Each structure stands twice: as C-alpha cells, then as structure tokens.
Amino acid sequence: MGKNINLLYCIVGSAVLALLNNPIFSYSKLGIFKNGYGGNIFGEILVKVTNILSLFGFILLMIFSVILIGRNINFRNNGL
C-alpha cells in the first residue's frame, strides 16, 4: 500500500479538478457575480478556465487510475 499512496493522492486531486463543473459547485463559482457572469469578462474567463481544468482533471483521473491498476496486477502468480 505504501507505494500506491502517492497515486491515490493524485487520483483524489484529479477527482476534485474533475468536479469543478458539478452543478453544486457552479452556484458557488458564479454566485460572486450579481447579474450573472455573461456581462463580465472576468466571469467568462473564469468559466472557460474551470472548464479546461475540469477536462484536465478527467484526463488525469483516467491516467492515474490505469497506472494504479497496472501496478497492482500480479503477473507472476496469476493462478489461472
């Protein structure tokens, strides 16, 4: 388990990034603008940046999960 703890931390961080577009967090993200984010350039930039970060979060989540699965497969003592 000790060798996989860093990968588990990476998976948790990637999951947090992937959840940036969750509707629960979108209200808190866009609630700082009184009239909606459409009229404010900072709001539009904030939405685009969080969309890109969420995409990277999903990609990293898949990569780290595959690496974690690959490290835990025991090819020598398969038993089949």
Side-chain angles (χ1 to χ4, degrees):
M1 181 68 182
K3 66 179 182 177
N4 295 326
I5 196 74
N6 289 335
L7 278 175
L8 290 175
Y9 288 144
C10 292
I11 287 174
V12 170
S14 301
V16 169
L17 281 177
L19 289 175
L20 281 175
N21 280 342
N22 193 343
I24 295 172
F25 299 128
S26 68
Y27 293 122
S28 63
K29 175 177 60 177
L30 301 175
I32 60 175
F33 304 107
K34 292 181 182 178
N35 298 328
Y37 69 92
N40 193 346
I41 189 71
F42 177 69
E44 293 177 10
I45 292 172
L46 179 70
V47 169
K48 290 183 185 193
V49 167
T50 54
N51 287 341
I52 292 170
L53 286 176
S54 179
L55 174 67
F56 285 138
F58 277 111
I59 292 170
L60 289 174
L61 185 65
M62 288 186 286
I63 291 171
F64 290 135
S65 297
V66 168
I67 292 172
L68 183 66
I69 291 169
R71 281 191 180 178
N72 288 314
I73 293 176
N74 191 359
F75 291 112
R76 290 184 217 129
N77 297 328
N78 199 359
L80 295 175

